[in-house]
Amino acid sequence: MTSNTIDAKMLSKMFLAGAKNLESKKEWINELNVFPVPDGDTGTNMTMTIMSAAREVAALGDNPDMTALCKAVSSGSLRGARGNSGVILSQLLRGFTKSISGKEQMTVSELSDAFDKAVETAYKAVMKPKEGTILTVARGGAEKARELVNAGMEDMGTFLAQVIEHARYVLSQTPELLPVLKQAGVVDSGGQGLVEVMSGAYDAFMGKEIDYTISAAAQESRSGSKSTGYQAQAEAEIKFGYCTEFIILLSRTFNIKHEMDFKAYLESIGDSIVCVADEDVVKVHVHTNDPGLAIQKALKYGQLSNLKIDNMRLEHQEKLFKMSGKETAGSSEKAPGGVSAPAQAPAQPPKPVGFLAVSVGDGVNEIFKSLGVDHIIEGGQTMNPSTADILDAVDQVNAETIFILPNNKNIILAANQAAELMTEKNLLVIPTKTIPQGITAVINFVPEMSVEDNEVTMMQEIGNVKTGQVTYAVRDTTIDDKEIRQGDYMGIGDAGILSVGQDMLLVTKDMVKAMVDDSSELISVYYGSDVQEEAAGQLRKELEEAYPDCDIELQYGGQPIYYYVISVE
């Protein structure tokens, strides 16, 4: 039996069901990649983003109030956002929850208002919105919702069904808006992910039986460690003996960055962390061997109330088994983005300007370090760091101003989101889309120049870098008028596929030929982990013969997936 309104309890179920449905479809969504390369990660990024929020929602229990629920969805997704699709999803959720926070329940009209606010917020977050994407699908759903409200629709079940049906129709039309989708024979992967979230939520509203348990793998916290569950503790020796709970009555600012730092501290002294911030209070739960440490840290933010400390080693084990299981937290594990947790205070001496770069491959990492980059976030294709990972890494650089180099077009939005959330330091994003662009940016940094002048110089110089990458195709398709067969080698440039064939050397040379012009002076070759040094040396020799007026540099990059990353300047 359904209702014509949605309260916090129902919305919580709908959100968790939407998250679970997306998670179950993530590999299929990954395969909807336009380019047939082995690095499709839209489904993974969207899943990790929404599961970060789902973990927060699950911690609220079965009867959350709307304000706490909205806070959990918004802050959890913002912190966990990965990749362009994940960041856009987090902004959709941010706008949606901003519209409904504080309401006891939503009518069809109020839900339509929330859809509008979601779309408005997401579009504002993207500098150059592109139609035929998740944004288009979201806007189509919101427009249908408004149309139904204006027509007098009040039945919530019918309303949701028709909105989702129209969103699916808009999704089916995305290839007509983006020719590259039409050529590849796929719909937009981010839009597909959004439809799956909406479909799962609708199933929950209609009463479909759904397992709302968030799996251990999906409960990864911002640091990549996992929350410890009571059932798991009952099966082994209790590591942290005191169950500590309290509420902080805030007397100073406690924004998202402060919340993340506080959680990181709690993870360093215990496990089973729950930290949910409302307008002026923070609800805290932690298992630790020294409750005093948690209390002292909390007192920096305000007064404490409802303080409760239980010695779990003396309590009956039945209490532990009754509560839902979660895996043991590891305070020294690495996050998917490669950032160790918990965040430690910077060991370097203070400096005015520092650098943070996203990189993958031991050779490339060493290049960045040799050029003076202070901290590396290991990541790239298939392993985009989250907004929280980037903020954690910022804590490792003891500088007033930090330039961040995403070095991947799918990480720029998360870096920008981190810059917006950062309050203690000046974080400037240089929108590098490739590793060679990042290297060029660092090389052109001049310590004697001002921050502003360096930013302008780096932005100009990365625009002079052409990048090509050689990988293999994972399916048959046609793109840029090129017939591609599974297993073919592909040379992919900044704006599309430059060469295709079954001989890696020939494909690589054809790609470089398409990049070089009369003004080219330098060709830099970074060979990957699957390329032998001898083969890379042969490529260098042939490039030297073909382009005698260009300097040819060959370096070991060690990057996965891409056999060669080559820049022309």
Side-chain angles (χ1 to χ4, degrees), residues 286-348:
V286 59
H287 291 176
T288 179
N289 286 326
D290 192 339
L293 294 176
I295 292 170
Q296 289 174 22
K297 188 73 170 180
L299 284 170
K300 294 182 178 181
Y301 297 102
Q303 299 182 44
L304 304 188
S305 71
N306 294 44
L307 180 62
K308 180 173 178 285
I309 301 175
D310 293 321
N311 187 332
M312 296 189 298
R313 294 189 176 96
L314 300 180
E315 291 182 345
H316 194 277
Q317 296 297 304
E318 181 181 356
K319 176 181 177 182
L320 303 175
F321 280 108
K322 286 182 178 179
M323 304 190 74
S324 59
K326 303 174 185 177
E327 292 188 14
T328 305
S331 61
S332 62
E333 293 183 7
K334 282 192 173 182
V339 182
S340 298
Q344 302 295 326
Q348 318 129 317

Side-chain angles (χ1 to χ4, degrees), residues 7-27:
D7 59 13
K9 182 176 182 179
M10 174 55 72
L11 185 61
S12 175
K13 289 184 176 182
M14 292 172 69
F15 180 77
L16 293 177
K20 295 275 285 188
N21 195 48
L22 175 61
E23 181 187 34
S24 70
K25 308 288 178 55
K26 68 179 180 180
E27 293 303 331

Side-chain angles (χ1 to χ4, degrees), residues 20-21 38 84 118 136 152 182 219 223 229 415 426 434 461 507 552 565:
K20 295 275 285 188
N21 195 48
N84 293 344
T136 306
K182 193 168 188 177
Q219 290 201 35
S223 64
N426 182 30
T434 64
E461 292 300 326
V507 168
I552 312 296
V565 175

Side-chain angles (χ1 to χ4, degrees), residues 104-328:
E104 291 188 6
Q105 56 187 15
M106 290 180 291
T107 63
V108 165
S109 178
E110 289 168 328
L111 189 57
S112 178
D113 291 340
F115 288 160
D116 287 339
K117 188 64 176 178
V119 172
E120 176 190 342
T121 304
Y123 266 88
K124 286 182 178 179
V126 181
M127 185 173 296
K128 295 181 180 179
K130 183 180 294 186
E131 297 305 331
T133 66
I134 181 177
L135 290 170
T136 306
V137 176
R139 194 184 73 237
E143 290 174 347
K144 183 64 176 180
R146 180 59 56 198
E147 174 190 322
L148 294 172
V149 169
N150 291 340
M153 173 76 70
E154 295 183 359
D155 182 80
M156 184 66 75
T158 305
F159 171 80
L160 291 174
Q162 291 190 23
V163 168
I164 295 171
E165 181 183 2
H166 187 71
R168 287 190 183 278
Y169 169 74
V170 175
L171 175 66
S172 72
Q173 297 303 299
T174 54
E176 302 303 322
L177 298 172
L178 275 181
V180 68
L181 293 174
K182 193 168 188 177
Q183 277 195 324
V186 296
V187 296
D188 179 68
S189 53
Q192 185 71 64
L194 179 61
V195 167
E196 297 309 324
V197 173
M198 296 170 69
S199 297
Y202 174 71
D203 286 342
F205 179 80
M206 296 303 293
K208 182 177 179 179
E209 187 172 341
I210 296 171
D211 177 9
Y212 294 102
T213 304
I214 304 300
S215 65
Q219 290 201 35
E220 291 184 355
S221 71
R222 63 179 186 83
S223 64
S225 58
K226 298 174 182 178
S227 301
T228 298
Y230 303 96
Q231 185 173 351
Q233 291 180 27
E235 296 170 352
E237 182 180 356
I238 295 175
K239 184 178 180 181
F240 298 104
Y242 294 95
C243 176
T244 306
E245 300 178 41
F246 52 82
I247 293 176
I248 308 175
L249 305 177
L250 294 173
S251 61
R252 55 165 290 188
T253 301
F254 193 80
N255 57 29
I256 291 177
K257 180 63 169 57
H258 293 131
E259 183 178 343
M260 292 166 54
D261 290 342
F262 185 57
K263 283 188 177 181
Y265 178 77
L266 294 178
E267 287 174 348
S268 73
I269 64 169
D271 60 19
S272 288
I273 312 299
V274 175
C275 177
V276 180
D278 287 341
E279 292 295 324
D280 52 2
V281 300
V282 181
K283 301 174 185 178
V284 179
H285 171 281
V286 59
H287 291 176
T288 179
N289 286 326
D290 192 339
L293 294 176
I295 292 170
Q296 289 174 22
K297 188 73 170 180
L299 284 170
K300 294 182 178 181
Y301 297 102
Q303 299 182 44
L304 304 188
S305 71
N306 294 44
L307 180 62
K308 180 173 178 285
I309 301 175
D310 293 321
N311 187 332
M312 296 189 298
R313 294 189 176 96
L314 300 180
E315 291 182 345
H316 194 277
Q317 296 297 304
E318 181 181 356
K319 176 181 177 182
L320 303 175
F321 280 108
K322 286 182 178 179
M323 304 190 74
S324 59
K326 303 174 185 177
E327 292 188 14
T328 305

